[in-house]
Every structure is written in C-alpha cells, then in structure tokens.
Amino acid sequence: MQYIDQGSAISTKQVSGRRLQKKNSLFYQQSVLENEEFTQRYEKNIDELKIFKDDHQLQAYKQHFQIRNARFFEQLEQIVKVESSLKDFAKGYEKYGFVISESGILYKEWAPGAKEVYLTGDFNNWDKTQYSLTSDTFGNWEIFLPRNEDGTYMINHGSRVKTYIKNAKDEYVYRIPAWIRMTWQNDENKMFDGVFYNPENRYEFKNNRPGKLKSLKIYEVHIGMAGVEPRVHTFKEFTQQVLPRVVKLGYNVIQIMAIQEHAYYGSFGYHVTNFFAVSSRFGSPDDLKELIDTAHQYGIHVLMDLVHSHASSNAQDGINEWDGTDYQYFHAGTKGNHNLWDSKVFDYSKWEVMRFFLSNLSWWLNEYQFDGFRFDGITSMLYIHHGNGHGFTGGLHEYFNEQVDLDSLVYLMLANDLIHEINPDAITIAEEVSGYPSLCRTIKEGGIGFDYRMAMAIPDKWIKLLKEVKDDDWDMEDITNTLTNRRYLENCICYAECHDQALVGDKTLSMWLFDKEIYTQMSTLTPETLVTFRGMALHKMIRLITFALGGEGYLTFMGNEFGHPEWIDFPREGNGWSYHHATRRWDLADNQTLRFSKLLQFDIEMINLESKYSWLPDGQQWVTEKHNDMKVIIFERGQLLFVFNFHPSQSYEHFKVGTKFNGDHFIVLDTDDMRFGGHSRVSPSYNKPFTLFKEGWQGRPNHIQIYLPNRCAIVFKSAE
C-alpha cells in the first residue's frame, strides 16, 4: 500500500521501518483485526451487516459497503500495526508542536515541502535564523531547547512565537505553528501570532462528566455574541451569566460554535485557521475549561461545533501553503479548492492529515473534556462534488456511485470509532443535508458511526411556508411528512431554526411572523393585533410540533427560544464593522411586560414537559390525523397525545380525538395559556378529566371529545 502522494508523510518503506521497532513482533505476524477484541467491535463479513437486514433495498448496493468497509479495515489495521492503537495514533499532540518535558521543549512540525525551518519569537528577540530545525527523510522537522541553567524554560509562558521557513517556492515566510495551542492577534497589524502556552498553574477539572443522556435537548451558543453589549463577550461572562439561563430553561446540552481559532470573526467560526487553538478573542484555554467544568457541575453536556470539512484559505494565519505547496494538507490544484466557501479541501488519504485530525479530536476530548462534537459540512466531505449544484431526492443511486469520496468516508468512520473508544458516552452529530444512508448507524452494523444527524429539511420547510404560502393553504400532510421523513434507526436532531436561519440575508421565525411589529407591538400593555396574535400562536406551535414529532433530539439557537428579534450580522466592512447585530437581547426576555417573556416561559414549560415524559427516545409515534381542510394534526408520541389546530380562524366544539390510551385524559400543556401570551380559551378544562369513550376513532381504539381553538395546540396525558 502506497501512502506517499504529493507530500504525504508516510510510505510503505516508512511503515515497514517502524514495524521493525515494535517489541512484540509475533503479534504483527497475524492480522491485528483477527483478535477477539476487534471481532467484538467490528463485523468484517459484509453479508452479516445488520443494516442489510433492516433495509433490504440496500442489498443492491452491497459492493459500495464492501469497498468502503475494506478500505476502513485496511486503514485501521495499518494504523494499529504502525502506532500500536488508534488512540496512540491520535496522540500526535504529544509528538508535534511544542512538547514540554522536564528536560526542556521539543518543537516539531511536519513540512515535507520546506527547505529550511527556524523557530523564532519574543524569546530570542525575533532573530529569524538563530534556532534552526533539522529534518528527517519523511519531512519532519524538529528542535530541542533544553532548560536554562536556572531551571527555567527558554520560552516563557505567553511568549509569541512563529516559524520562519524557506518554503517549496524558495520564499522565506513566517508561519504560525500548525499544532499551536493558542494564538493572539497583533493590534498593530491585525495579524495573528502563535502563543507558547505553559501556565504555572493549569486549570484542574473538579467535576466528572455527566452520565449518558437518554434524550438530547441542545442549546446552540456562540460565546462572542452571548451578551447584550455590542462587543465580543468572553468565556467567563458566559459561564457566569448565560449558563444559569440554560439551566433554568431545562436544556441538557450546550453546543458551542467557533471554538477553533479563526482569523475572521465574521466567518462564524467556520473558516478555521488554527485547529488546536482556542479562539483567543473569547479568553484563555483555562477559561474554556472552567466553562465546561461548570456546565458539568450543572449536569449539562458540552458539544463542540467542529470543522474538519475544510480550512480557511488564509495562508498568513492558517495552515494553507504552510510549507509552500498547495497539497501539504489539501488536494493539489483545483481539487483542493472549495469555490463556494472560498476555502481549502483536505486530502484525507494522507497519513499525516489523518494523524492531524484524529489527534485534534483526541485533544479536545481529553484536554478540554468536551462530551462530543457536531461535525460541520459533512455533505461537502461525502461527495467529490461537495453537494454543489446537486439536489437529492432520496433515491439510493444518488448516494452509492463514483461521486462518493471514499477517503472522507473512511476518515469519518475512524473519527467516530476513536471518539467512542475514548468516551463510549460521547455524542457525535453530523450536519448533513443529502440524507446519505447509514451515516448514523454503528460501524459494526454497517454505518459511518454518527449518533445523530441534523434534520435540515425541517427549518427549510417552516421558512418556505412562512415566506411563500398563505396560512389557509398550509398542507398538513406535507408538514407531517417533512417532520417524520427520516431513515429507520438513524436518529435525527430536529429544530425549527438554528443559527443558519438567523444569519444576515435571512430572517428568524419571529421576524417572519411579527415583521415590523416586533419593534412596536410586543408590549403586553398595548392591545394585541392580528399580527401579534398569529405570531405568538404559530411561534409556539411550530416549535412544539417540531420538538414532538421531528426527531430523537431537539435544538434551538440561543435567543430564538424567546423570539429574538432581527438577524445575526458580524462586524464587516459592509456594515461599518458594527457589533449591533452580533448580540443577544436577554433584557427583552427578562422584561415581564414584553411578549418575549411569554414565549420564553412557554419554552421552559415545553422543555420540562419532555424531561418529565421523555418522548424523544421513544421510537413509537403514530400520526392519527392530518386533515388538510380542518388544518388539524393529531399524533401520539411516548405517553402523550398531541393535538394541533393550525386553522387561522376555525375553532371546533366537541371535537373527537382518537387515542390508544385507556384512561381519562388530562391537559399537560396548552399553547393558548395566558402565561404564554395566549387567551386561555382552554383553561376552564385544566385539572378536569376528559372522559374516555371506548369507541374507535381515527384508527384508534378509543376517543375523547375536546374544545379545540384555532391556532392552538394541546397536549394530553392519560390517567392510566
């Protein structure tokens, strides 16, 4: 097997050389994937994969799975033979970058295209060539700086550092170390420098990770815009001011965006320049550790919004053209460019690219105690065309063809395997729009290994309805199909909106619903208008039906739970570098005289309802009615019965609702409650039983009769 390809770091010769260094040579005389541990973790017999037993249509594409899995096992076996284990391979941060020991500092980089490499910084008054690195035959450069005679390190904590390189083009350039743990922006020239991070007293975690969750209720956050003031906010402010809000809301997971360093703030963190570095604009690495530790104290899991799908094309601050070639980490030529995103595309077939990224996962899990990742841009990774200009209708032929990037698939399998080996309770979520089958099945079953995927069609459906379709023309069957259209045994995270829907150029649900009245008619001290009645009602109903029917986990972006007004727009030249729209108006939610506070209270009650009755992990959901003329949707999920009336004006007396439950029914949530900004038209029925009639209706064995107001949803629990 040949691994070296335009700058790749390892070849068959190198692998063989490393094998000779292994102490237990007998073990390596047989396949490492034939021992008992591996046979328990994996299924190598393609005919025995459970995914084919669950979906017989996939049988026609067995060859795809056979090739994909063979590549995975071949790569895994090679890693284990060379590096002892996948976890050991993923500890590159113990070999590369700045490695601090009792005797001194080792600095090491992989730069096969470089001709000369030097280390410079504050510690030597930026002398470019004082400290020269030496290279081996595989493109690894290193230098060891022993401790000073007084026992101090030659580089002080907080010193700014860079590498000075004669690159493949014979140019002398400065580069930030690729494995750097922290960077800092220079106020004078706005360029970034690497920072040598070695504090005398490192943060010590005080709390264990929370136990495994049976249902995910995710609060998506961005640290910089998590405050009212128009500026960049910090990890410490979030820990002290926002985390308590999340606890009160009842969410059990926070998903943090923009953790990896990104030179351009306006990229929302998706144009990463330094993959191992915490974004310094929010605070120090220890500040982030304190945030995660405090979240764990509250019992909240913390996910990182991870970008391994592409990198910033910024060659000054990032890893693009680090050694002077365009193919060190990326594909060569135009294949290495993601034109739609103005970014670079990784070549996952390369040994050192795999080491870099698998080590990156291990670093965030072990060093910072993250509980998992939401992988961004998976569709771009899965296909050679990156999904650009390709619409997916769900036909299996669209997924299993020559356009699939097998190297990316193998990397994602290795990534999920590693994550769940380090922490079996870790959570991995794929942001993937095409619907690639098997993405969220375990590797042993025949999948890629993700735990969840984002149900991205749902928010698009709501925006399309609000933007293009009159309320009277909403199709109940279309809404229901969108909410329930997911692959068998592949878990989804549902959401009505996330950060995407709030970005400049689009509108949040609240802006689509309230429009200009969000500025003038949101006070409870002024009379309700037709617009505010509709907006308040549909905002709650859309969230509830999405939460209750759309997936096995739920997500909202911070502030959207109370109908945060306006959009998100980071400082940029086009808005005069303003922070005005890069904030969260918590003051609006806290003001009890504003309707925002009513939407907030509903969200608290809705989240707590799932915490009490736990319907998300229950795979049994039964839609009993989707009546298009009446605009009614009725379904059962878990222990609860959900009834929705989307009709703009029609309410129904003595409305019969079919149910599988055998006892009298009681209301446990009503979107029209006055506490939630409604009219409490159903409130006289609170705490009163709805008598069960042992007569079938809507295909269910029993029914109850209720009053169902227009633009209202009611949730029932049976007394049984």
mmCIF file of all heavy atoms in Angstrom, residues 232 263-268 502-506 567-582:
data_model
loop_
_atom_site.group_PDB
_atom_site.id
_atom_site.type_symbol
_atom_site.label_atom_id
_atom_site.label_comp_id
_atom_site.label_asym_id
_atom_site.label_seq_id
_atom_site.Cartn_x
_atom_site.Cartn_y
_atom_site.Cartn_z
ATOM 1 N N VAL A 232 -17.372 41.794 21.706
ATOM 2 C CA VAL A 232 -17.090 40.368 21.834
ATOM 3 C C VAL A 232 -17.146 39.991 23.304
ATOM 4 O O VAL A 232 -16.449 40.576 24.134
ATOM 5 C CB VAL A 232 -15.703 40.019 21.259
ATOM 6 C CG1 VAL A 232 -15.416 38.533 21.449
ATOM 7 C CG2 VAL A 232 -15.627 40.383 19.782
ATOM 8 N N ALA A 263 -9.290 33.503 12.065
ATOM 9 C CA ALA A 263 -8.795 34.875 11.966
ATOM 10 C C ALA A 263 -9.923 35.860 11.690
ATOM 11 O O ALA A 263 -9.915 36.987 12.200
ATOM 12 C CB ALA A 263 -7.733 34.960 10.870
ATOM 13 N N TYR A 264 -10.913 35.440 10.897
ATOM 14 C CA TYR A 264 -12.005 36.342 10.532
ATOM 15 C C TYR A 264 -13.214 36.057 11.404
ATOM 16 O O TYR A 264 -13.849 35.015 11.285
ATOM 17 C CB TYR A 264 -12.350 36.162 9.051
ATOM 18 C CG TYR A 264 -13.480 37.056 8.570
ATOM 19 C CD1 TYR A 264 -13.551 38.399 8.931
ATOM 20 C CD2 TYR A 264 -14.475 36.554 7.745
ATOM 21 C CE1 TYR A 264 -14.575 39.219 8.498
ATOM 22 C CE2 TYR A 264 -15.516 37.358 7.298
ATOM 23 C CZ TYR A 264 -15.562 38.688 7.683
ATOM 24 O OH TYR A 264 -16.598 39.492 7.247
ATOM 25 N N TYR A 265 -13.525 36.991 12.295
ATOM 26 C CA TYR A 265 -14.631 36.813 13.240
ATOM 27 C C TYR A 265 -15.949 36.586 12.513
ATOM 28 O O TYR A 265 -16.793 35.784 12.943
ATOM 29 C CB TYR A 265 -14.715 38.054 14.130
ATOM 30 C CG TYR A 265 -15.695 37.972 15.277
ATOM 31 C CD1 TYR A 265 -15.739 36.859 16.119
ATOM 32 C CD2 TYR A 265 -16.565 39.028 15.554
ATOM 33 C CE1 TYR A 265 -16.617 36.798 17.186
ATOM 34 C CE2 TYR A 265 -17.446 38.979 16.625
ATOM 35 C CZ TYR A 265 -17.474 37.860 17.434
ATOM 36 O OH TYR A 265 -18.352 37.800 18.489
ATOM 37 N N GLY A 266 -16.137 37.267 11.406
ATOM 38 C CA GLY A 266 -17.391 37.193 10.664
ATOM 39 C C GLY A 266 -17.647 35.866 9.991
ATOM 40 O O GLY A 266 -18.728 35.650 9.439
ATOM 41 N N SER A 267 -16.683 34.944 10.026
ATOM 42 C CA SER A 267 -16.899 33.624 9.426
ATOM 43 C C SER A 267 -17.755 32.734 10.312
ATOM 44 O O SER A 267 -18.061 31.601 9.944
ATOM 45 C CB SER A 267 -15.558 32.930 9.166
ATOM 46 O OG SER A 267 -14.976 32.467 10.373
ATOM 47 N N PHE A 268 -18.158 33.240 11.508
ATOM 48 C CA PHE A 268 -18.964 32.466 12.459
ATOM 49 C C PHE A 268 -18.184 31.252 12.966
ATOM 50 O O PHE A 268 -18.753 30.299 13.494
ATOM 51 C CB PHE A 268 -20.266 32.007 11.830
ATOM 52 C CG PHE A 268 -21.483 32.203 12.703
ATOM 53 C CD1 PHE A 268 -22.710 32.555 12.159
ATOM 54 C CD2 PHE A 268 -21.424 32.037 14.075
ATOM 55 C CE1 PHE A 268 -23.833 32.738 12.952
ATOM 56 C CE2 PHE A 268 -22.544 32.207 14.874
ATOM 57 C CZ PHE A 268 -23.748 32.559 14.312
ATOM 58 N N ALA A 502 -30.871 32.584 11.227
ATOM 59 C CA ALA A 502 -30.789 33.920 11.810
ATOM 60 C C ALA A 502 -29.740 34.789 11.134
ATOM 61 O O ALA A 502 -29.646 35.982 11.422
ATOM 62 C CB ALA A 502 -30.473 33.815 13.309
ATOM 63 N N LEU A 503 -28.945 34.212 10.233
ATOM 64 C CA LEU A 503 -27.866 34.970 9.613
ATOM 65 C C LEU A 503 -28.398 36.064 8.705
ATOM 66 O O LEU A 503 -29.494 35.963 8.140
ATOM 67 C CB LEU A 503 -26.964 34.036 8.812
ATOM 68 C CG LEU A 503 -26.037 33.140 9.624
ATOM 69 C CD1 LEU A 503 -25.348 32.129 8.725
ATOM 70 C CD2 LEU A 503 -25.005 33.976 10.364
ATOM 71 N N VAL A 504 -27.611 37.126 8.557
ATOM 72 C CA VAL A 504 -27.995 38.241 7.694
ATOM 73 C C VAL A 504 -28.312 37.718 6.291
ATOM 74 O O VAL A 504 -27.633 36.853 5.763
ATOM 75 C CB VAL A 504 -26.877 39.309 7.646
ATOM 76 C CG1 VAL A 504 -25.601 38.745 7.038
ATOM 77 C CG2 VAL A 504 -27.339 40.543 6.895
ATOM 78 N N GLY A 505 -29.375 38.231 5.718
ATOM 79 C CA GLY A 505 -29.845 37.749 4.426
ATOM 80 C C GLY A 505 -31.051 36.848 4.565
ATOM 81 O O GLY A 505 -31.765 36.599 3.603
ATOM 82 N N ASP A 506 -31.298 36.361 5.790
ATOM 83 C CA ASP A 506 -32.489 35.571 6.076
ATOM 84 C C ASP A 506 -33.177 36.197 7.283
ATOM 85 O O ASP A 506 -32.774 37.251 7.769
ATOM 86 C CB ASP A 506 -32.122 34.117 6.351
ATOM 87 C CG ASP A 506 -33.283 33.151 6.085
ATOM 88 O OD1 ASP A 506 -34.431 33.630 6.033
ATOM 89 O OD2 ASP A 506 -33.037 31.953 5.938
ATOM 90 N N TRP A 567 -31.693 39.807 13.053
ATOM 91 C CA TRP A 567 -30.840 38.804 12.460
ATOM 92 C C TRP A 567 -29.458 38.873 13.099
ATOM 93 O O TRP A 567 -29.190 39.695 13.966
ATOM 94 C CB TRP A 567 -30.730 39.053 10.956
ATOM 95 C CG TRP A 567 -30.302 40.466 10.648
ATOM 96 C CD1 TRP A 567 -29.030 40.921 10.480
ATOM 97 C CD2 TRP A 567 -31.155 41.613 10.524
ATOM 98 N NE1 TRP A 567 -29.026 42.268 10.255
ATOM 99 C CE2 TRP A 567 -30.320 42.726 10.272
ATOM 100 C CE3 TRP A 567 -32.539 41.806 10.591
ATOM 101 C CZ2 TRP A 567 -30.827 44.017 10.088
ATOM 102 C CZ3 TRP A 567 -33.035 43.094 10.419
ATOM 103 C CH2 TRP A 567 -32.192 44.182 10.160
ATOM 104 N N ILE A 568 -28.578 37.982 12.653
ATOM 105 C CA ILE A 568 -27.190 37.996 13.112
ATOM 106 C C ILE A 568 -26.318 38.549 11.987
ATOM 107 O O ILE A 568 -26.372 38.070 10.861
ATOM 108 C CB ILE A 568 -26.710 36.583 13.478
ATOM 109 C CG1 ILE A 568 -27.549 36.003 14.616
ATOM 110 C CG2 ILE A 568 -25.228 36.599 13.878
ATOM 111 C CD1 ILE A 568 -27.283 34.525 14.857
ATOM 112 N N ASP A 569 -25.527 39.540 12.322
ATOM 113 C CA ASP A 569 -24.613 40.127 11.345
ATOM 114 C C ASP A 569 -23.336 40.530 12.073
ATOM 115 O O ASP A 569 -23.348 41.453 12.885
ATOM 116 C CB ASP A 569 -25.261 41.341 10.674
ATOM 117 C CG ASP A 569 -24.460 41.824 9.472
ATOM 118 O OD1 ASP A 569 -23.535 41.107 9.058
ATOM 119 O OD2 ASP A 569 -24.761 42.916 8.956
ATOM 120 N N PHE A 570 -22.256 39.824 11.795
ATOM 121 C CA PHE A 570 -20.998 40.116 12.463
ATOM 122 C C PHE A 570 -20.341 41.365 11.872
ATOM 123 O O PHE A 570 -20.656 41.765 10.746
ATOM 124 C CB PHE A 570 -20.053 38.918 12.345
ATOM 125 C CG PHE A 570 -20.412 37.781 13.233
ATOM 126 C CD1 PHE A 570 -21.209 36.742 12.776
ATOM 127 C CD2 PHE A 570 -19.981 37.742 14.547
ATOM 128 C CE1 PHE A 570 -21.545 35.691 13.594
ATOM 129 C CE2 PHE A 570 -20.318 36.692 15.381
ATOM 130 C CZ PHE A 570 -21.103 35.674 14.900
ATOM 131 N N PRO A 571 -19.434 41.961 12.623
ATOM 132 C CA PRO A 571 -18.740 43.153 12.101
ATOM 133 C C PRO A 571 -18.051 42.845 10.779
ATOM 134 O O PRO A 571 -17.343 41.848 10.651
ATOM 135 C CB PRO A 571 -17.711 43.468 13.202
ATOM 136 C CG PRO A 571 -18.250 42.837 14.435
ATOM 137 C CD PRO A 571 -18.991 41.621 13.990
ATOM 138 N N ARG A 572 -18.282 43.691 9.816
ATOM 139 C CA ARG A 572 -17.673 43.534 8.489
ATOM 140 C C ARG A 572 -17.664 44.893 7.805
ATOM 141 O O ARG A 572 -18.308 45.855 8.274
ATOM 142 C CB ARG A 572 -18.464 42.517 7.652
ATOM 143 C CG ARG A 572 -19.934 42.845 7.507
ATOM 144 C CD ARG A 572 -20.734 41.739 6.817
ATOM 145 N NE ARG A 572 -22.152 42.019 6.820
ATOM 146 C CZ ARG A 572 -22.788 42.755 5.910
ATOM 147 N NH1 ARG A 572 -22.115 43.259 4.882
ATOM 148 N NH2 ARG A 572 -24.084 42.964 6.006
ATOM 149 N N GLU A 573 -16.952 44.966 6.717
ATOM 150 C CA GLU A 573 -16.827 46.242 6.007
ATOM 151 C C GLU A 573 -18.191 46.753 5.562
ATOM 152 O O GLU A 573 -18.470 47.951 5.601
ATOM 153 C CB GLU A 573 -15.896 46.074 4.806
ATOM 154 C CG GLU A 573 -15.564 47.377 4.107
ATOM 155 C CD GLU A 573 -14.535 47.189 2.999
ATOM 156 O OE1 GLU A 573 -14.139 46.035 2.742
ATOM 157 O OE2 GLU A 573 -14.123 48.196 2.392
ATOM 158 N N GLY A 574 -19.078 45.830 5.154
ATOM 159 C CA GLY A 574 -20.382 46.233 4.636
ATOM 160 C C GLY A 574 -21.313 46.847 5.662
ATOM 161 O O GLY A 574 -22.308 47.500 5.301
ATOM 162 N N ASN A 575 -21.058 46.625 6.965
ATOM 163 C CA ASN A 575 -21.919 47.244 7.989
ATOM 164 C C ASN A 575 -21.137 48.209 8.883
ATOM 165 O O ASN A 575 -21.552 48.499 10.009
ATOM 166 C CB ASN A 575 -22.616 46.173 8.841
ATOM 167 C CG ASN A 575 -21.646 45.341 9.674
ATOM 168 O OD1 ASN A 575 -20.481 45.675 9.815
ATOM 169 N ND2 ASN A 575 -22.139 44.244 10.234
ATOM 170 N N GLY A 576 -19.983 48.650 8.361
ATOM 171 C CA GLY A 576 -19.189 49.596 9.128
ATOM 172 C C GLY A 576 -18.526 48.978 10.345
ATOM 173 O O GLY A 576 -18.247 49.667 11.326
ATOM 174 N N TRP A 577 -18.285 47.647 10.292
ATOM 175 C CA TRP A 577 -17.653 46.907 11.385
ATOM 176 C C TRP A 577 -18.447 47.044 12.676
ATOM 177 O O TRP A 577 -17.901 47.182 13.764
ATOM 178 C CB TRP A 577 -16.200 47.351 11.584
ATOM 179 C CG TRP A 577 -15.391 47.188 10.339
ATOM 180 C CD1 TRP A 577 -15.001 48.174 9.480
ATOM 181 C CD2 TRP A 577 -14.912 45.954 9.780
ATOM 182 N NE1 TRP A 577 -14.307 47.639 8.421
ATOM 183 C CE2 TRP A 577 -14.226 46.286 8.578
ATOM 184 C CE3 TRP A 577 -14.982 44.619 10.179
ATOM 185 C CZ2 TRP A 577 -13.646 45.311 7.781
ATOM 186 C CZ3 TRP A 577 -14.393 43.658 9.379
ATOM 187 C CH2 TRP A 577 -13.727 44.005 8.192
ATOM 188 N N SER A 578 -19.760 46.970 12.540
ATOM 189 C CA SER A 578 -20.654 47.147 13.683
ATOM 190 C C SER A 578 -20.941 45.820 14.386
ATOM 191 O O SER A 578 -21.086 44.776 13.743
ATOM 192 C CB SER A 578 -21.977 47.755 13.219
ATOM 193 O OG SER A 578 -22.938 47.734 14.255
ATOM 194 N N TYR A 579 -21.055 45.879 15.723
ATOM 195 C CA TYR A 579 -21.438 44.728 16.540
ATOM 196 C C TYR A 579 -22.932 44.757 16.898
ATOM 197 O O TYR A 579 -23.386 43.936 17.684
ATOM 198 C CB TYR A 579 -20.634 44.704 17.842
ATOM 199 C CG TYR A 579 -19.196 44.294 17.689
ATOM 200 C CD1 TYR A 579 -18.212 45.236 17.417
ATOM 201 C CD2 TYR A 579 -18.811 42.967 17.826
ATOM 202 C CE1 TYR A 579 -16.879 44.869 17.289
ATOM 203 C CE2 TYR A 579 -17.483 42.583 17.695
ATOM 204 C CZ TYR A 579 -16.521 43.541 17.421
ATOM 205 O OH TYR A 579 -15.200 43.172 17.293
ATOM 206 N N HIS A 580 -23.664 45.679 16.329
ATOM 207 C CA HIS A 580 -25.051 45.890 16.744
ATOM 208 C C HIS A 580 -25.897 44.629 16.604
ATOM 209 O O HIS A 580 -26.744 44.340 17.458
ATOM 210 C CB HIS A 580 -25.676 47.025 15.926
ATOM 211 C CG HIS A 580 -27.114 47.287 16.261
ATOM 212 N ND1 HIS A 580 -27.503 47.898 17.433
ATOM 213 C CD2 HIS A 580 -28.261 46.998 15.596
ATOM 214 C CE1 HIS A 580 -28.819 47.985 17.479
ATOM 215 N NE2 HIS A 580 -29.312 47.443 16.379
ATOM 216 N N HIS A 581 -25.672 43.870 15.550
ATOM 217 C CA HIS A 581 -26.464 42.655 15.310
ATOM 218 C C HIS A 581 -25.708 41.383 15.690
ATOM 219 O O HIS A 581 -26.103 40.290 15.280
ATOM 220 C CB HIS A 581 -26.902 42.585 13.850
ATOM 221 C CG HIS A 581 -27.939 43.602 13.490
ATOM 222 N ND1 HIS A 581 -29.205 43.593 14.014
ATOM 223 C CD2 HIS A 581 -27.878 44.685 12.666
ATOM 224 C CE1 HIS A 581 -29.896 44.611 13.521
ATOM 225 N NE2 HIS A 581 -29.115 45.294 12.711
ATOM 226 N N ALA A 582 -24.628 41.524 16.450
ATOM 227 C CA ALA A 582 -23.885 40.355 16.928
ATOM 228 C C ALA A 582 -23.993 40.290 18.443
ATOM 229 O O ALA A 582 -23.003 40.179 19.161
ATOM 230 C CB ALA A 582 -22.429 40.432 16.483
#
